[in-house]
Amino acid sequence: MASFVPTLLAAGVGVLLGIYRGLWGWEMLSVSERTAICGALGLIGIGTGFRLKVNWLLAPVSLILLLATYFTLLEPRFHMYFGTNGLTCLARSLPASLATAAMLLLLINFGRWNGSACSVALLAACSAILAQTLYCTIVESRHTAYFHAGQIAFWSLPVLLRSLFR
């Protein structure tokens, strides 16, 4: 229950940014793909509310869950300009991550939520993934795995390093 408000904020930021840019990517997904991706992101959001002694395990487990979702649902097909399109996607999703991280850090500072840095990073990444899922028209497994779900690794890397080298 402690993760309800932060998860709702992260989802809200991702949805608002996706709606602002356009729902072209969402329209290209089937109902089962939409359900599975939202379910995986929801499980990640719920998982961040638990207080684990080894909370640095959340990032790899959630990344594996999301990658498994992408690779079982979406086709691996070739598309032109893989790296260029991917880096553009990664850059477009950063505003959702930054907005979510800023709001969650404010919640932590005002004592409304006792989340960890790992939880902040995961929810910020989920917000970015949701924004890009709504907007991006490239529904190919490698693209979504590297450049959409890669947000989890990107945002969680500093947190993982910090917890490992304390």
Side-chain angles (χ1 to χ4, degrees):
M1 201 60 174
S3 66
F4 179 72
V5 172
T7 302
L8 193 63
L9 279 173
V13 170
V15 168
L16 287 175
L17 190 63
I19 288 172
Y20 170 73
R21 290 195 176 134
L23 297 174
W24 299 293
W26 189 252
E27 291 169 357
M28 294 185 71
L29 297 174
S30 70
V31 174
S32 61
E33 291 168 342
R34 293 176 188 174
T35 305
I37 290 170
C38 288
L41 291 176
L43 285 175
I44 292 167
I46 291 168
T48 57
F50 296 115
R51 295 302 250 159
L52 300 174
K53 291 183 180 176
V54 281
N55 65 358
W56 54 271
L57 280 175
L58 276 173
V61 167
S62 45
L63 186 59
I64 289 168
L65 174 69
L66 204 57
L67 292 179
T69 303
Y70 281 138
F71 280 115
T72 53
L73 288 177
L74 305 177
E75 299 174 13
R77 55 183 181 266
F78 176 77
H79 70 276
M80 299 287 289
Y81 309 113
F82 179 73
T84 310
N85 286 338
L87 291 177
T88 303
C89 253
L90 200 60
R92 281 185 183 145
S93 60
L94 281 177
S97 296
L98 293 173
T100 303
M103 281 194 294
L104 295 177
L105 289 173
L106 282 174
L107 276 176
I108 288 173
N109 287 339
F110 287 121
R112 301 277 185 223
W113 181 50
N114 57 355
S116 65
C118 189
S119 299
V120 171
L122 284 172
L123 288 173
C126 287
S127 177
I129 292 168
L130 188 56
Q132 277 310 101
T133 300
L134 295 174
Y135 173 72
C136 182
T137 56
I138 302 172
V139 289
E140 190 259 332
S141 61
R142 288 181 315 132
H143 173 84
T144 52
Y146 297 151
F147 300 112
H148 295 194
Q151 284 283 341
I152 292 178
F154 175 72
W155 273 90
S156 299
L157 186 62
V159 177
L160 291 171
L161 291 174
R162 182 173 163 245
S163 13
L164 289 174
F165 298 110
R166 270 191 190 178

